[in-house]
Amino acid sequence: MIHRTEPLWWLLFAAGGSAAAVLAPVLILLTGIAAPAGWFPQAFPYEHVRALVSHPVTRLVLFGVIVLSFFHWAHRFRYTLAEGLALKRAWLPVAVVCYAAAIAGTVSAAVVILKL
Amino acid sequence: MRAYSRPTEFNWWLTNRTYFFFVVRELTSVLIAAYMVFLLVLLRRLAAGPEAYAAYLRFLGSPGMLLFHLVALAAALYHSITWFRLAPMAITLRVRGRRVPGATVVAANYAAWLVVSLVVAWIVLRS
Amino acid sequence: MMMAEQTVAERTITLEVFRYRPEQESEPTFQTYEIPYREDWVVLDALNYIKDSVDGSLTYRWSCRMGVCGSCGMMVNGVPKLTCSTFLKDYYPRPIRIEPLANFPVARDLAIVLDDFMAKLVHVRPWIIRRQEEPLEAGEYRQTPEELDRYKHFSMCINCMLCYAACPIYGLEPEFVGPAAVALAQRYNLDSRDQGGRERMGILSTHEGIWACTLVGECTTVCPAEVDPAAAIQQAKLASALGWLRRVLVPWGNK
């Protein structure tokens, strides 16, 4: 069943890889380093960020890059485990666990972003 | 006559520099996904109110979390560089009957990356 | 050997060569040969010198000695190379280790068993497939230079199998159809005279086909003919994925 849907997982992987390639570095820099380190103090007070993030386009983009990154991870990690641990044929349980985790992440992301 | 078989060893990716960096490249997806989880938590704290948000920012400022984000940033950059180099090989663009050279597509990817990064930074940082 | 720098006439180089003689041993060994070093020699010249003057029992394949037949592929210091195109001077004065191509069973010494590769080449239907043959009177299937250009680089494969030796996936999963076979399939898929894309996609879009590949990319790096098999595989993945999307989103569309 996983094999017949392989093109789907690959498309999600490719979309996730592209989205992460373009957006991840700047997002990590902003939310993980600039904000907590206190750079650009005018940019990160609560009201400003809250307003920024509640815009529907922002929510859509954030949902997209987060969810696609989860599926990108799932597909890539599934194959890395199969190769790195020399499991034969990207062993089915590994694949199921990875994609299930990505789907769970998608549901969480939807819940969080809808509540913004 | 018996042919001699040399199966791939368990540590195949540790014995060769190129294979090792291939596995590193694949594992960047783990760090990027981990960052996305922290980002989701940030969004949740934002919805919860200013005290929750401020407390989370303090948590992000701890040495451990800053270190994680630096490593995640390095992973994301390595992912981007290798992605822009490799992803274009899936597409053969033809303009007026001639194949677009790979270098052009790669350059276009980098340009798009730069533009998007600057746009996002500008949107967030202007006040 | 505590000599001062060797004179040109007496310069030598050491080759550590993989030996496997199934009639006398069950495990392979390495045999060391010290041979004259010539700046213009390639590894194949060194092997021929050994066979002619030192040890006639050494077994290996070679033919054109100019990089077009694909016969002389071996591992040189752990890297798949055509020995007719690999110069001693790039390694001198250090010893050179020569082994049969990785990921293949060894028949004898440096000669591998290539039945699996041959079977895979045939498996991907590497010929023009027509749904509808034109009558003889209609003449040749004509093709413009632009149409030729679309697949020409995939047709340059010399079947040397260096890409199979370089691919860790082929090493881990011997059922993987492999880089050269997919490149050859793409050569026909992209040929304007061919109508067999659907049939080949059924063969390629399987787990032992293109989906086993995770773009390590070493196949393209070692290819001596600039075929770029990694690109062929990624293009096949994209074509398969787009075809899948079309079938899922437009199920009534009949093509």
PDB file of all heavy atoms in Angstrom, chain B residues 1-4 6 8 12 18-19 22 25 86 89-90 92 94 97 99, chain C residues 20 27-28 100-101 104-106 149 166 168 171 214-216 218 235 238:
ATOM      1  N   MET B   1      32.251 -22.637 -10.712  1.00  0.00           N
ATOM      2  CA  MET B   1      33.226 -21.961  -9.844  1.00  0.00           C
ATOM      3  C   MET B   1      32.490 -20.969  -8.958  1.00  0.00           C
ATOM      4  O   MET B   1      31.674 -20.212  -9.448  1.00  0.00           O
ATOM      5  CB  MET B   1      34.262 -21.185 -10.676  1.00  0.00           C
ATOM      6  CG  MET B   1      35.218 -22.086 -11.398  1.00  0.00           C
ATOM      7  SD  MET B   1      36.357 -22.894 -10.242  1.00  0.00           S
ATOM      8  CE  MET B   1      37.600 -23.472 -11.383  1.00  0.00           C
ATOM      9  N   ARG B   2      32.820 -20.964  -7.657  1.00  0.00           N
ATOM     10  CA  ARG B   2      32.077 -20.105  -6.743  1.00  0.00           C
ATOM     11  C   ARG B   2      32.457 -18.648  -6.881  1.00  0.00           C
ATOM     12  O   ARG B   2      33.622 -18.290  -6.729  1.00  0.00           O
ATOM     13  CB  ARG B   2      32.336 -20.565  -5.298  1.00  0.00           C
ATOM     14  CG  ARG B   2      31.437 -21.729  -4.871  1.00  0.00           C
ATOM     15  CD  ARG B   2      31.359 -21.827  -3.361  1.00  0.00           C
ATOM     16  NE  ARG B   2      30.495 -20.794  -2.816  1.00  0.00           N
ATOM     17  CZ  ARG B   2      30.884 -19.853  -1.970  1.00  0.00           C
ATOM     18  NH1 ARG B   2      32.151 -19.784  -1.582  1.00  0.00           N
ATOM     19  NH2 ARG B   2      30.045 -18.972  -1.515  1.00  0.00           N
ATOM     20  N   ALA B   3      31.486 -17.813  -7.167  1.00  0.00           N
ATOM     21  CA  ALA B   3      31.751 -16.376  -7.166  1.00  0.00           C
ATOM     22  C   ALA B   3      31.840 -15.880  -5.730  1.00  0.00           C
ATOM     23  O   ALA B   3      31.170 -16.400  -4.843  1.00  0.00           O
ATOM     24  CB  ALA B   3      30.635 -15.644  -7.902  1.00  0.00           C
ATOM     25  N   TYR B   4      32.688 -14.870  -5.479  1.00  0.00           N
ATOM     26  CA  TYR B   4      32.884 -14.361  -4.131  1.00  0.00           C
ATOM     27  C   TYR B   4      32.029 -13.112  -3.923  1.00  0.00           C
ATOM     28  O   TYR B   4      32.083 -12.156  -4.692  1.00  0.00           O
ATOM     29  CB  TYR B   4      34.359 -14.022  -3.903  1.00  0.00           C
ATOM     30  CG  TYR B   4      34.635 -13.586  -2.480  1.00  0.00           C
ATOM     31  CD1 TYR B   4      34.679 -14.524  -1.446  1.00  0.00           C
ATOM     32  CD2 TYR B   4      34.840 -12.255  -2.170  1.00  0.00           C
ATOM     33  CE1 TYR B   4      34.904 -14.121  -0.141  1.00  0.00           C
ATOM     34  CE2 TYR B   4      35.081 -11.848  -0.869  1.00  0.00           C
ATOM     35  CZ  TYR B   4      35.102 -12.785   0.140  1.00  0.00           C
ATOM     36  OH  TYR B   4      35.328 -12.391   1.433  1.00  0.00           O
ATOM     37  N   ARG B   6      30.789  -9.764  -1.798  1.00  0.00           N
ATOM     38  CA  ARG B   6      31.268  -8.770  -0.832  1.00  0.00           C
ATOM     39  C   ARG B   6      30.092  -7.885  -0.422  1.00  0.00           C
ATOM     40  O   ARG B   6      29.927  -6.794  -0.952  1.00  0.00           O
ATOM     41  CB  ARG B   6      32.360  -7.900  -1.452  1.00  0.00           C
ATOM     42  CG  ARG B   6      33.614  -8.651  -1.851  1.00  0.00           C
ATOM     43  CD  ARG B   6      34.457  -7.839  -2.813  1.00  0.00           C
ATOM     44  NE  ARG B   6      33.754  -7.601  -4.073  1.00  0.00           N
ATOM     45  CZ  ARG B   6      34.099  -6.696  -4.972  1.00  0.00           C
ATOM     46  NH1 ARG B   6      35.165  -5.932  -4.758  1.00  0.00           N
ATOM     47  NH2 ARG B   6      33.412  -6.548  -6.081  1.00  0.00           N
ATOM     48  N   THR B   8      27.566  -5.219   1.369  1.00  0.00           N
ATOM     49  CA  THR B   8      27.820  -3.909   1.971  1.00  0.00           C
ATOM     50  C   THR B   8      27.821  -4.039   3.480  1.00  0.00           C
ATOM     51  O   THR B   8      26.932  -4.658   4.058  1.00  0.00           O
ATOM     52  CB  THR B   8      26.716  -2.929   1.540  1.00  0.00           C
ATOM     53  OG1 THR B   8      26.722  -2.864   0.119  1.00  0.00           O
ATOM     54  CG2 THR B   8      26.946  -1.555   2.106  1.00  0.00           C
ATOM     55  N   TRP B  12      28.754   1.238   6.326  1.00  0.00           N
ATOM     56  CA  TRP B  12      29.163   1.712   4.999  1.00  0.00           C
ATOM     57  C   TRP B  12      29.290   3.224   4.923  1.00  0.00           C
ATOM     58  O   TRP B  12      30.140   3.755   4.229  1.00  0.00           O
ATOM     59  CB  TRP B  12      28.187   1.207   3.927  1.00  0.00           C
ATOM     60  CG  TRP B  12      26.799   1.743   4.095  1.00  0.00           C
ATOM     61  CD1 TRP B  12      25.805   1.202   4.859  1.00  0.00           C
ATOM     62  CD2 TRP B  12      26.249   2.925   3.510  1.00  0.00           C
ATOM     63  NE1 TRP B  12      24.691   1.974   4.791  1.00  0.00           N
ATOM     64  CE2 TRP B  12      24.919   3.035   3.963  1.00  0.00           C
ATOM     65  CE3 TRP B  12      26.750   3.908   2.654  1.00  0.00           C
ATOM     66  CZ2 TRP B  12      24.083   4.094   3.601  1.00  0.00           C
ATOM     67  CZ3 TRP B  12      25.909   4.953   2.274  1.00  0.00           C
ATOM     68  CH2 TRP B  12      24.591   5.032   2.752  1.00  0.00           C
ATOM     69  N   THR B  18      32.257  10.972   1.260  1.00  0.00           N
ATOM     70  CA  THR B  18      31.065  11.388   0.506  1.00  0.00           C
ATOM     71  C   THR B  18      29.808  10.768   1.076  1.00  0.00           C
ATOM     72  O   THR B  18      28.790  11.438   1.213  1.00  0.00           O
ATOM     73  CB  THR B  18      31.193  10.949  -0.961  1.00  0.00           C
ATOM     74  OG1 THR B  18      32.476  11.279  -1.417  1.00  0.00           O
ATOM     75  CG2 THR B  18      30.150  11.648  -1.814  1.00  0.00           C
ATOM     76  N   TYR B  19      29.872   9.477   1.406  1.00  0.00           N
ATOM     77  CA  TYR B  19      28.711   8.814   1.982  1.00  0.00           C
ATOM     78  C   TYR B  19      28.355   9.425   3.336  1.00  0.00           C
ATOM     79  O   TYR B  19      27.182   9.592   3.667  1.00  0.00           O
ATOM     80  CB  TYR B  19      28.981   7.310   2.152  1.00  0.00           C
ATOM     81  CG  TYR B  19      29.111   6.527   0.859  1.00  0.00           C
ATOM     82  CD1 TYR B  19      29.683   5.253   0.857  1.00  0.00           C
ATOM     83  CD2 TYR B  19      28.662   7.034  -0.362  1.00  0.00           C
ATOM     84  CE1 TYR B  19      29.803   4.513  -0.308  1.00  0.00           C
ATOM     85  CE2 TYR B  19      28.787   6.297  -1.527  1.00  0.00           C
ATOM     86  CZ  TYR B  19      29.349   5.038  -1.497  1.00  0.00           C
ATOM     87  OH  TYR B  19      29.471   4.311  -2.648  1.00  0.00           O
ATOM     88  N   PHE B  22      26.559  12.593   2.827  1.00  0.00           N
ATOM     89  CA  PHE B  22      25.221  12.292   2.333  1.00  0.00           C
ATOM     90  C   PHE B  22      24.285  12.045   3.514  1.00  0.00           C
ATOM     91  O   PHE B  22      23.171  12.590   3.566  1.00  0.00           O
ATOM     92  CB  PHE B  22      25.263  11.066   1.411  1.00  0.00           C
ATOM     93  CG  PHE B  22      23.946  10.364   1.264  1.00  0.00           C
ATOM     94  CD1 PHE B  22      22.897  10.946   0.572  1.00  0.00           C
ATOM     95  CD2 PHE B  22      23.733   9.124   1.854  1.00  0.00           C
ATOM     96  CE1 PHE B  22      21.677  10.309   0.462  1.00  0.00           C
ATOM     97  CE2 PHE B  22      22.517   8.485   1.755  1.00  0.00           C
ATOM     98  CZ  PHE B  22      21.486   9.073   1.052  1.00  0.00           C
ATOM     99  N   ARG B  25      23.518  15.190   5.293  1.00  0.00           N
ATOM    100  CA  ARG B  25      22.532  15.943   4.504  1.00  0.00           C
ATOM    101  C   ARG B  25      21.128  15.437   4.783  1.00  0.00           C
ATOM    102  O   ARG B  25      20.197  16.210   4.963  1.00  0.00           O
ATOM    103  CB  ARG B  25      22.866  15.782   3.022  1.00  0.00           C
ATOM    104  CG  ARG B  25      21.958  16.534   2.094  1.00  0.00           C
ATOM    105  CD  ARG B  25      22.184  16.093   0.661  1.00  0.00           C
ATOM    106  NE  ARG B  25      21.243  15.055   0.279  1.00  0.00           N
ATOM    107  CZ  ARG B  25      21.392  14.249  -0.779  1.00  0.00           C
ATOM    108  NH1 ARG B  25      22.455  14.357  -1.541  1.00  0.00           N
ATOM    109  NH2 ARG B  25      20.487  13.337  -1.050  1.00  0.00           N
ATOM    110  N   LEU B  86      20.926  20.200  -6.148  1.00  0.00           N
ATOM    111  CA  LEU B  86      20.451  18.907  -6.642  1.00  0.00           C
ATOM    112  C   LEU B  86      19.031  18.916  -7.206  1.00  0.00           C
ATOM    113  O   LEU B  86      18.751  18.227  -8.160  1.00  0.00           O
ATOM    114  CB  LEU B  86      20.524  17.876  -5.520  1.00  0.00           C
ATOM    115  CG  LEU B  86      21.942  17.575  -5.022  1.00  0.00           C
ATOM    116  CD1 LEU B  86      21.898  16.679  -3.806  1.00  0.00           C
ATOM    117  CD2 LEU B  86      22.759  16.919  -6.123  1.00  0.00           C
ATOM    118  N   MET B  89      17.961  19.092 -11.010  1.00  0.00           N
ATOM    119  CA  MET B  89      18.210  18.036 -11.996  1.00  0.00           C
ATOM    120  C   MET B  89      16.939  17.271 -12.356  1.00  0.00           C
ATOM    121  O   MET B  89      16.914  16.543 -13.345  1.00  0.00           O
ATOM    122  CB  MET B  89      19.313  17.080 -11.536  1.00  0.00           C
ATOM    123  CG  MET B  89      19.041  16.323 -10.286  1.00  0.00           C
ATOM    124  SD  MET B  89      20.223  14.947 -10.040  1.00  0.00           S
ATOM    125  CE  MET B  89      21.782  15.779  -9.882  1.00  0.00           C
ATOM    126  N   ALA B  90      15.863  17.464 -11.581  1.00  0.00           N
ATOM    127  CA  ALA B  90      14.617  16.779 -11.901  1.00  0.00           C
ATOM    128  C   ALA B  90      13.865  17.456 -13.045  1.00  0.00           C
ATOM    129  O   ALA B  90      12.934  16.887 -13.608  1.00  0.00           O
ATOM    130  CB  ALA B  90      13.711  16.736 -10.666  1.00  0.00           C
ATOM    131  N   THR B  92      13.937  19.539 -16.708  1.00  0.00           N
ATOM    132  CA  THR B  92      14.714  20.026 -17.842  1.00  0.00           C
ATOM    133  C   THR B  92      13.924  21.160 -18.475  1.00  0.00           C
ATOM    134  O   THR B  92      12.891  20.942 -19.091  1.00  0.00           O
ATOM    135  CB  THR B  92      14.933  18.928 -18.891  1.00  0.00           C
ATOM    136  OG1 THR B  92      13.717  18.194 -19.011  1.00  0.00           O
ATOM    137  CG2 THR B  92      16.039  17.994 -18.490  1.00  0.00           C
ATOM    138  N   ARG B  94      13.392  24.033 -21.132  1.00  0.00           N
ATOM    139  CA  ARG B  94      13.868  24.350 -22.469  1.00  0.00           C
ATOM    140  C   ARG B  94      13.303  25.714 -22.855  1.00  0.00           C
ATOM    141  O   ARG B  94      12.114  25.957 -22.717  1.00  0.00           O
ATOM    142  CB  ARG B  94      13.411  23.290 -23.468  1.00  0.00           C
ATOM    143  CG  ARG B  94      13.791  21.882 -23.053  1.00  0.00           C
ATOM    144  CD  ARG B  94      13.568  20.904 -24.169  1.00  0.00           C
ATOM    145  NE  ARG B  94      14.594  21.000 -25.188  1.00  0.00           N
ATOM    146  CZ  ARG B  94      15.760  20.360 -25.132  1.00  0.00           C
ATOM    147  NH1 ARG B  94      16.046  19.627 -24.101  1.00  0.00           N
ATOM    148  NH2 ARG B  94      16.647  20.486 -26.098  1.00  0.00           N
ATOM    149  N   GLY B  97      13.854  25.932 -27.556  1.00  0.00           N
ATOM    150  CA  GLY B  97      14.481  24.744 -28.112  1.00  0.00           C
ATOM    151  C   GLY B  97      15.832  24.369 -27.530  1.00  0.00           C
ATOM    152  O   GLY B  97      16.398  23.343 -27.865  1.00  0.00           O
ATOM    153  N   ARG B  99      18.321  23.640 -24.060  1.00  0.00           N
ATOM    154  CA  ARG B  99      18.259  23.340 -22.648  1.00  0.00           C
ATOM    155  C   ARG B  99      18.826  24.497 -21.832  1.00  0.00           C
ATOM    156  O   ARG B  99      19.891  25.013 -22.137  1.00  0.00           O
ATOM    157  CB  ARG B  99      19.077  22.075 -22.345  1.00  0.00           C
ATOM    158  CG  ARG B  99      18.281  21.036 -21.606  1.00  0.00           C
ATOM    159  CD  ARG B  99      19.096  19.800 -21.286  1.00  0.00           C
ATOM    160  NE  ARG B  99      19.782  19.254 -22.435  1.00  0.00           N
ATOM    161  CZ  ARG B  99      20.900  18.540 -22.370  1.00  0.00           C
ATOM    162  NH1 ARG B  99      21.468  18.319 -21.219  1.00  0.00           N
ATOM    163  NH2 ARG B  99      21.467  18.052 -23.456  1.00  0.00           N
TER     164      ARG B  99
ATOM    165  N   TYR C  20      41.643 -13.495  -6.351  1.00  0.00           N
ATOM    166  CA  TYR C  20      40.688 -14.526  -5.922  1.00  0.00           C
ATOM    167  C   TYR C  20      40.714 -15.638  -6.941  1.00  0.00           C
ATOM    168  O   TYR C  20      40.338 -15.432  -8.104  1.00  0.00           O
ATOM    169  CB  TYR C  20      39.276 -13.943  -5.800  1.00  0.00           C
ATOM    170  CG  TYR C  20      38.218 -14.970  -5.500  1.00  0.00           C
ATOM    171  CD1 TYR C  20      38.244 -15.701  -4.303  1.00  0.00           C
ATOM    172  CD2 TYR C  20      37.192 -15.244  -6.399  1.00  0.00           C
ATOM    173  CE1 TYR C  20      37.282 -16.654  -4.024  1.00  0.00           C
ATOM    174  CE2 TYR C  20      36.225 -16.197  -6.128  1.00  0.00           C
ATOM    175  CZ  TYR C  20      36.274 -16.903  -4.937  1.00  0.00           C
ATOM    176  OH  TYR C  20      35.326 -17.852  -4.653  1.00  0.00           O
ATOM    177  N   GLU C  27      38.730 -17.585   0.199  1.00  0.00           N
ATOM    178  CA  GLU C  27      38.732 -16.166   0.561  1.00  0.00           C
ATOM    179  C   GLU C  27      39.747 -15.456  -0.327  1.00  0.00           C
ATOM    180  O   GLU C  27      40.792 -16.007  -0.652  1.00  0.00           O
ATOM    181  CB  GLU C  27      39.167 -15.993   2.029  1.00  0.00           C
ATOM    182  CG  GLU C  27      38.156 -16.494   3.034  1.00  0.00           C
ATOM    183  CD  GLU C  27      36.907 -15.631   3.054  1.00  0.00           C
ATOM    184  OE1 GLU C  27      37.041 -14.406   3.154  1.00  0.00           O
ATOM    185  OE2 GLU C  27      35.808 -16.187   2.963  1.00  0.00           O
ATOM    186  N   PRO C  28      39.458 -14.206  -0.687  1.00  0.00           N
ATOM    187  CA  PRO C  28      40.424 -13.472  -1.508  1.00  0.00           C
ATOM    188  C   PRO C  28      41.644 -13.037  -0.703  1.00  0.00           C
ATOM    189  O   PRO C  28      41.600 -13.022   0.528  1.00  0.00           O
ATOM    190  CB  PRO C  28      39.623 -12.249  -1.969  1.00  0.00           C
ATOM    191  CG  PRO C  28      38.527 -12.090  -0.986  1.00  0.00           C
ATOM    192  CD  PRO C  28      38.234 -13.437  -0.401  1.00  0.00           C
ATOM    193  N   PRO C 100      38.229  -5.473  -7.591  1.00  0.00           N
ATOM    194  CA  PRO C 100      37.149  -5.531  -8.571  1.00  0.00           C
ATOM    195  C   PRO C 100      36.050  -4.531  -8.199  1.00  0.00           C
ATOM    196  O   PRO C 100      35.935  -4.123  -7.045  1.00  0.00           O
ATOM    197  CB  PRO C 100      36.625  -6.972  -8.453  1.00  0.00           C
ATOM    198  CG  PRO C 100      37.330  -7.591  -7.319  1.00  0.00           C
ATOM    199  CD  PRO C 100      38.381  -6.683  -6.815  1.00  0.00           C
ATOM    200  N   LEU C 101      35.239  -4.147  -9.194  1.00  0.00           N
ATOM    201  CA  LEU C 101      34.157  -3.193  -8.968  1.00  0.00           C
ATOM    202  C   LEU C 101      33.288  -3.621  -7.789  1.00  0.00           C
ATOM    203  O   LEU C 101      32.863  -4.772  -7.709  1.00  0.00           O
ATOM    204  CB  LEU C 101      33.275  -3.079 -10.217  1.00  0.00           C
ATOM    205  CG  LEU C 101      33.719  -2.132 -11.308  1.00  0.00           C
ATOM    206  CD1 LEU C 101      32.657  -2.055 -12.396  1.00  0.00           C
ATOM    207  CD2 LEU C 101      33.997  -0.736 -10.766  1.00  0.00           C
ATOM    208  N   PHE C 104      29.435  -6.054  -6.877  1.00  0.00           N
ATOM    209  CA  PHE C 104      29.239  -7.181  -7.788  1.00  0.00           C
ATOM    210  C   PHE C 104      29.964  -8.400  -7.244  1.00  0.00           C
ATOM    211  O   PHE C 104      31.022  -8.259  -6.613  1.00  0.00           O
ATOM    212  CB  PHE C 104      29.798  -6.868  -9.176  1.00  0.00           C
ATOM    213  CG  PHE C 104      28.993  -5.869  -9.958  1.00  0.00           C
ATOM    214  CD1 PHE C 104      29.346  -4.532  -9.987  1.00  0.00           C
ATOM    215  CD2 PHE C 104      27.870  -6.274 -10.667  1.00  0.00           C
ATOM    216  CE1 PHE C 104      28.603  -3.607 -10.696  1.00  0.00           C
ATOM    217  CE2 PHE C 104      27.122  -5.355 -11.394  1.00  0.00           C
ATOM    218  CZ  PHE C 104      27.493  -4.023 -11.409  1.00  0.00           C
ATOM    219  N   PRO C 105      29.443  -9.613  -7.486  1.00  0.00           N
ATOM    220  CA  PRO C 105      30.198 -10.802  -7.083  1.00  0.00           C
ATOM    221  C   PRO C 105      31.461 -10.926  -7.937  1.00  0.00           C
ATOM    222  O   PRO C 105      31.487 -10.495  -9.094  1.00  0.00           O
ATOM    223  CB  PRO C 105      29.236 -11.971  -7.376  1.00  0.00           C
ATOM    224  CG  PRO C 105      27.944 -11.363  -7.744  1.00  0.00           C
ATOM    225  CD  PRO C 105      28.186  -9.958  -8.154  1.00  0.00           C
ATOM    226  N   VAL C 106      32.513 -11.524  -7.357  1.00  0.00           N
ATOM    227  CA  VAL C 106      33.783 -11.638  -8.066  1.00  0.00           C
ATOM    228  C   VAL C 106      33.890 -13.036  -8.661  1.00  0.00           C
ATOM    229  O   VAL C 106      33.769 -14.035  -7.946  1.00  0.00           O
ATOM    230  CB  VAL C 106      34.974 -11.403  -7.112  1.00  0.00           C
ATOM    231  CG1 VAL C 106      36.279 -11.389  -7.889  1.00  0.00           C
ATOM    232  CG2 VAL C 106      34.788 -10.110  -6.346  1.00  0.00           C
ATOM    233  N   ASP C 149      18.641  16.260 -29.077  1.00  0.00           N
ATOM    234  CA  ASP C 149      19.337  16.859 -27.952  1.00  0.00           C
ATOM    235  C   ASP C 149      18.680  16.502 -26.618  1.00  0.00           C
ATOM    236  O   ASP C 149      19.345  16.461 -25.592  1.00  0.00           O
ATOM    237  CB  ASP C 149      19.366  18.389 -28.147  1.00  0.00           C
ATOM    238  CG  ASP C 149      20.300  19.061 -27.178  1.00  0.00           C
ATOM    239  OD1 ASP C 149      21.473  18.656 -27.109  1.00  0.00           O
ATOM    240  OD2 ASP C 149      19.858  19.980 -26.460  1.00  0.00           O
ATOM    241  N   ALA C 166      29.440   2.653  -7.454  1.00  0.00           N
ATOM    242  CA  ALA C 166      29.455   3.851  -6.619  1.00  0.00           C
ATOM    243  C   ALA C 166      28.180   4.001  -5.792  1.00  0.00           C
ATOM    244  O   ALA C 166      28.148   4.769  -4.833  1.00  0.00           O
ATOM    245  CB  ALA C 166      29.619   5.100  -7.501  1.00  0.00           C
ATOM    246  N   PRO C 168      25.543   3.280  -3.123  1.00  0.00           N
ATOM    247  CA  PRO C 168      25.413   2.495  -1.898  1.00  0.00           C
ATOM    248  C   PRO C 168      24.064   1.775  -1.822  1.00  0.00           C
ATOM    249  O   PRO C 168      23.967   0.730  -1.173  1.00  0.00           O
ATOM    250  CB  PRO C 168      25.534   3.535  -0.783  1.00  0.00           C
ATOM    251  CG  PRO C 168      25.193   4.839  -1.401  1.00  0.00           C
ATOM    252  CD  PRO C 168      25.536   4.734  -2.852  1.00  0.00           C
ATOM    253  N   GLY C 171      24.379  -1.473  -3.407  1.00  0.00           N
ATOM    254  CA  GLY C 171      25.106  -2.347  -2.495  1.00  0.00           C
ATOM    255  C   GLY C 171      24.197  -2.918  -1.414  1.00  0.00           C
ATOM    256  O   GLY C 171      24.304  -4.080  -1.050  1.00  0.00           O
ATOM    257  N   THR C 214      17.850   7.555  -3.321  1.00  0.00           N
ATOM    258  CA  THR C 214      17.732   8.723  -2.447  1.00  0.00           C
ATOM    259  C   THR C 214      18.726   9.821  -2.836  1.00  0.00           C
ATOM    260  O   THR C 214      19.158  10.608  -2.004  1.00  0.00           O
ATOM    261  CB  THR C 214      17.965   8.331  -0.978  1.00  0.00           C
ATOM    262  OG1 THR C 214      19.216   7.651  -0.877  1.00  0.00           O
ATOM    263  CG2 THR C 214      16.859   7.446  -0.465  1.00  0.00           C
ATOM    264  N   LEU C 215      19.077   9.853  -4.115  1.00  0.00           N
ATOM    265  CA  LEU C 215      19.914  10.926  -4.652  1.00  0.00           C
ATOM    266  C   LEU C 215      21.223  11.094  -3.871  1.00  0.00           C
ATOM    267  O   LEU C 215      21.570  12.200  -3.470  1.00  0.00           O
ATOM    268  CB  LEU C 215      19.159  12.267  -4.673  1.00  0.00           C
ATOM    269  CG  LEU C 215      19.186  13.052  -5.971  1.00  0.00           C
ATOM    270  CD1 LEU C 215      18.755  14.501  -5.750  1.00  0.00           C
ATOM    271  CD2 LEU C 215      20.531  13.058  -6.655  1.00  0.00           C
ATOM    272  N   VAL C 216      21.937  10.011  -3.687  1.00  0.00           N
ATOM    273  CA  VAL C 216      23.282  10.145  -3.152  1.00  0.00           C
ATOM    274  C   VAL C 216      24.120  10.921  -4.155  1.00  0.00           C
ATOM    275  O   VAL C 216      24.912  11.791  -3.802  1.00  0.00           O
ATOM    276  CB  VAL C 216      23.920   8.766  -2.889  1.00  0.00           C
ATOM    277  CG1 VAL C 216      25.330   8.897  -2.390  1.00  0.00           C
ATOM    278  CG2 VAL C 216      23.079   7.978  -1.899  1.00  0.00           C
ATOM    279  N   GLU C 218      26.407   9.803  -6.313  1.00  0.00           N
ATOM    280  CA  GLU C 218      27.738   9.336  -6.676  1.00  0.00           C
ATOM    281  C   GLU C 218      27.782   8.744  -8.076  1.00  0.00           C
ATOM    282  O   GLU C 218      28.831   8.731  -8.732  1.00  0.00           O
ATOM    283  CB  GLU C 218      28.211   8.274  -5.664  1.00  0.00           C
ATOM    284  CG  GLU C 218      28.843   8.885  -4.435  1.00  0.00           C
ATOM    285  CD  GLU C 218      30.062   9.729  -4.781  1.00  0.00           C
ATOM    286  OE1 GLU C 218      31.159   9.188  -4.903  1.00  0.00           O
ATOM    287  OE2 GLU C 218      29.894  10.966  -4.954  1.00  0.00           O
ATOM    288  N   GLN C 235      14.262  12.827 -12.889  1.00  0.00           N
ATOM    289  CA  GLN C 235      13.255  13.163 -13.899  1.00  0.00           C
ATOM    290  C   GLN C 235      12.171  12.100 -13.960  1.00  0.00           C
ATOM    291  O   GLN C 235      10.984  12.410 -14.103  1.00  0.00           O
ATOM    292  CB  GLN C 235      13.917  13.315 -15.271  1.00  0.00           C
ATOM    293  CG  GLN C 235      14.747  14.572 -15.397  1.00  0.00           C
ATOM    294  CD  GLN C 235      15.627  14.564 -16.622  1.00  0.00           C
ATOM    295  OE1 GLN C 235      15.324  13.897 -17.604  1.00  0.00           O
ATOM    296  NE2 GLN C 235      16.730  15.292 -16.558  1.00  0.00           N
ATOM    297  N   LEU C 238       9.822  12.593 -11.013  1.00  0.00           N
ATOM    298  CA  LEU C 238       8.908  13.709 -11.222  1.00  0.00           C
ATOM    299  C   LEU C 238       7.823  13.316 -12.221  1.00  0.00           C
ATOM    300  O   LEU C 238       6.641  13.579 -12.005  1.00  0.00           O
ATOM    301  CB  LEU C 238       9.678  14.937 -11.716  1.00  0.00           C
ATOM    302  CG  LEU C 238       8.857  16.216 -11.863  1.00  0.00           C
ATOM    303  CD1 LEU C 238       8.248  16.616 -10.525  1.00  0.00           C
ATOM    304  CD2 LEU C 238       9.702  17.360 -12.397  1.00  0.00           C
TER     305      LEU C 238
END
